[in-house]
């Protein structure tokens, strides 16, 4: 049985901070695209709610991908890629569903 000592907890806390920083920066960079596009065209019309939902979805998917990659790190590389791809595809499906209702058409 393995017990975590204080060094493991401190190392994990530092890794978590770095992961949160990476995911936060990546989310901010991705969300710059619609923000900049809104300055040049009226075809992109996001509200604050749209940005909040996108930020929540992107950061959640990023953290889930990192967590999944760590949980399957000891397995074969193709298993790690498949697990992260499954999480990423679920996030893309949810994004599409929220954007245009690909599978479920509510109210029609």
């Amino acid at each position: 049985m393995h017990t975590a000592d204080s060094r493991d907890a401190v190392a994990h806390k530092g890794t978590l901070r770095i992961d949160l920083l990476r995911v936060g920066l990546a989310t901010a960079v991705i969300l710059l695209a619609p923000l900049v596009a809104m300055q040049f065209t009226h075809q992109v019309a996001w509200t604050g709610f749209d940005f909040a939902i996108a930020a929540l979805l992107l950061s959640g998917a990023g953290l889930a991908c990192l967590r999944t990659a760590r949980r399957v790190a000891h397995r074969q590389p193709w298993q790690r890629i498949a697990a992260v791809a499954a999480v990423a595809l679920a996030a893309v499906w949810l994004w599409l569903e929220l954007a245009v209702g690909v599978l479920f058409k509510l109210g029609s």
Side-chain angles (χ1 to χ4, degrees):
M1 178 186 232
H2 180 271
T3 58
D5 61 3
S6 63
R7 287 179 300 188
D8 288 342
V10 170
H12 178 67
K13 187 181 250 187
T15 304
L16 180 63
R17 286 183 191 153
I18 291 172
D19 287 348
L20 288 173
L21 180 64
R22 281 186 197 166
V23 170
L25 286 174
T27 299
V29 167
I30 292 170
L31 289 178
L32 279 175
L35 184 64
V36 169
M38 286 174 55
Q39 308 307 312
F40 297 105
T41 181
H42 293 291
Q43 293 178 344
V44 179
W46 282 29
T47 64
F49 182 73
D50 294 327
F51 279 101
I53 293 298
L56 184 66
L57 180 63
L58 288 170
S59 60
L63 289 172
C65 283
L66 287 174
R67 173 87 170 137
T68 302
R70 286 217 174 94
R71 296 233 6 170
V72 296
H74 62 282
R75 298 183 186 223
Q76 296 290 328
W78 66 269
Q79 290 174 321
R80 188 176 183 179
I81 291 169
V84 172
V87 171
L89 283 174
V92 168
W93 175 77
L94 182 58
W95 184 294
L96 286 172
E97 193 60 42
L98 289 171
V100 293
V102 174
L103 188 61
F104 301 109
K105 298 268 188 195
L106 297 177
S108 60

